[in-house]
Amino acid sequence: KLDLEVIDFDLRNLFGEFSESLALKSQEKNIEIILDNRGIQQSHVKGDPGRLRQILNNLTGNAIKFTEQGEIVISAKLVEEKAVNDNEESRLTLHCSIRDTGIGIPADKIANLFQSFTQVDASTTRKYGGTGLGLAICKQLCQLMQGDIKVSSTLGQGSNFSFTVSLAKSEQAKIVLPDVDINNVPILIVDDNATNRFVLKTQLEHWGAIVYEAESGLAALALLESNAKNQEQANIKMAFFDMYMPHMDGASLAKNVKDNSNLKEIKLVMMTSMAARGDANYFRDLGFSAYFPKPAITKDLFKTLTLCLSQSASSSQKLPLITRHYLKDVEPAEQANDHISLSQCRLLLVEDNRINQEVARHILAEFGIVPDVAVNGLEALTFLKSTKGKLANGQSIKGQATQGKAPYDIILMDCQMPEMDGYQATAAIRQGEAGEENKAVTIIAMTANAMKGDKEKCLAAGMTDYLSKPIDPVKLKEKLTQYAELVINAETISPAVFNKLERPPLVKVPEKIAADSDGPLPKEQEQEQEQEQLIVWQRDEFSKRLNNNEQFQHKLIALFLEDAPKQLSALALSIRQQDNKQQHEISHKILGMTANLSAHALLHHTRNFNHYLTTSPTAYAQIDTLFQAMLLAYQALEQELKQVINEKLIKSS
């Protein structure tokens, strides 16, 4: 019953972003995450990136769970398989392994690992949690993608899960090489972890660099001084330092290098665990040209090499400190143009939930967009019809319309809202109730549903496109760029030409649009949610969605702790009053809040509650039981969130 999609995607970038998402969790356990994707020599392939992430998430989640110290190495390579006959295209096979230094698995238990609801023993279940579904799902997905999965393990030393999946060639594929020529450029790597040194060294050598390595600060100093005095060797131009090393850490090593007049011209790059507030100034003062969190991913390496070794970055020029945030701001010219275009985009956000509003505003601010916000469909129509009127609450409308031009280029429209939902508002806009000039405005739906047919339902309502919640910043930017480009560029061409351009289609609106439903999840997502139900809060996932902005994370947590009890109290009252409509609306709000917070346990129980309302609205005893499960999940979540707030208060004091 599982379905696969086949789309073009950047495989190397997928591994990079996935390994980034592990940074916080691995840092909390003091485990080194190492990404080895040297074997992926072309960028794009065709396949199902969502299913591939699902496999990686299950396997690395287990590796982190069962590893207390040491390292987890994610290795990937792409192998071309020759076609069996002339009528078939050659395929690509992805070989991937996740090797850990964890507790290992007894030999007599390995054969049963991939059976549903099977774990090593009862003590493992008690200590680590889980349902024993993850590996069964992984095997099913691998076989669905014409591959398989296997495991080797030594008890007490670690495990190695390896899998294969079949992928197709992509016309977008290109050879992965840095933008700057590093052929014969001498580079030093200093890291006490031998695996990390080996992976980074061989990758840089593959791109043409001459690479030296040292396992400690003292060895690095001796090597640098020897290199500087040797007239027959090219001087080392650039050095990557690990921050945490015994005897002499990366910061102390940098100080010694900059104090040596023979070495001060070397560009220094710090590789550290997830960045903390104030790190940028700290590393800049030490003389570093760049720093980024480990593991080192391709995109970070490329940008760092370009900015440190390009002709424009001469020794006399003061380089900005290249943090991961800075790297995002210096994208290639074509991407920079997208960013500039987006900042010109006039956008209306239609969303009733405060937390969802804040998350969307934060993500849009990253693209230079400050949206206007309407809390339901009626307010959205008011925004569109007039820029001089007032809302029902008396506030002035801050629209940006000019005479004869639609006020907004794009509308982000939530599907479920009180008074007038997103489907009804879209139907009204398409029928001209917000003015003839707004009938063709781009409307991108936002829905918490995860059901097949939702996209078609949104398009049938007249919406231009569709995004699922919680909003993924990367996917949102892709959609905004796609639709903003036509509108922004249209302003620079003549009306006659613009009228001939392809516009978003006007879909005939059905006479009656069914109410939005958070109905049953597809079977595979039920299994995935069941597997994750013991995970109260995915902090690293939450952090990544907000671009690791600690201050905004605390703001959102505080807002959630203020709002959630009110919503749960209102839901309890609606259950006592047997008000099915109110129960559905409130539980939908809680769904959106918890999804944005990555609170998986509460999200799981709220989905169950919401689905049961739809299928068995009069089964009051079961509804009450499901609500009790929601309350227990919230109490566990509240404890974790309050601990984060308390940690912040202790730090600030």
Side-chain angles (χ1 to χ4, degrees), residues 550 554 641-653:
E550 192 174 323
H554 288 139
L641 298 181
K642 284 186 175 178
Q643 186 176 344
V644 173
I645 296 295
N646 290 336
E647 286 171 3
K648 182 195 175 190
L649 293 173
I650 291 168
K651 283 182 183 178
S652 60
S653 60

Side-chain angles (χ1 to χ4, degrees), residues 30 124 231 284 326 454 467 477 530 533:
N30 199 26
T124 301
Q231 300 296 322
R284 182 185 289 110
Y326 178 78
D454 280 340
L467 276 171
K477 185 175 182 181
E530 188 70 26
Q533 63 179 318

Side-chain angles (χ1 to χ4, degrees), residues 345-419:
C345 180
R346 299 178 298 275
L347 189 141
L348 176 62
L349 172 66
V350 190
E351 169 66 67
D352 65 311
N353 187 292
R354 282 206 302 164
I355 288 179
N356 295 351
Q357 288 174 9
E358 290 296 326
V359 171
R361 281 181 178 180
H362 177 77
I363 294 172
L364 290 169
E366 294 283 329
F367 313 146
I369 298 174
V370 180
D372 288 343
V373 180
V375 298
N376 56 44
L378 288 174
E379 278 201 2
L381 294 179
T382 308
F383 268 84
L384 287 164
K385 283 189 282 191
S386 170
T387 59
K388 297 177 182 177
K390 291 185 180 292
L391 300 178
N393 60 9
Q395 292 181 336
S396 297
I397 297 173
K398 299 176 182 177
Q400 304 175 55
T402 54
Q403 186 67 33
K405 185 167 71 173
Y408 299 103
D409 303 313
I410 293 174
I411 300 173
L412 289 180
M413 181 78 76
D414 183 31
C415 289
Q416 270 207 341
M417 294 175 292
E419 297 188 62

Side-chain angles (χ1 to χ4, degrees), residues 148-175:
D148 208 348
I149 186 169
K150 60 184 180 180
V151 59
S152 60
S153 183
T154 303
L155 189 62
Q157 295 183 26
S159 305
N160 186 2
F161 284 83
S162 58
F163 68 90
T164 58
V165 295
S166 181
L167 301 167
K169 288 185 173 181
S170 167
E171 295 177 358
Q172 298 180 32
K174 57 185 179 182
I175 301 298

Side-chain angles (χ1 to χ4, degrees), residues 618-632:
T618 58
Y620 304 120
Q622 183 62 24
I623 287 172
D624 190 59
T625 301
L626 291 170
F627 178 63
Q628 294 303 318
M630 286 175 61
L631 288 179
L632 289 172

Side-chain angles (χ1 to χ4, degrees), residues 536-547:
V536 175
W537 183 36
Q538 284 279 17
R539 187 174 180 178
D540 55 343
E541 183 184 290
F542 170 65
S543 177
K544 186 181 177 186
R545 183 177 299 117
L546 302 179
N547 205 17

Side-chain angles (χ1 to χ4, degrees), residues 444-464:
I444 301 176
M446 302 185 297
T447 176
N449 287 358
M451 295 178 62
K452 273 190 173 181
D454 280 340
K455 182 172 183 177
E456 291 73 17
K457 182 179 174 182
C458 291
L459 295 176
M463 295 170 178
T464 316

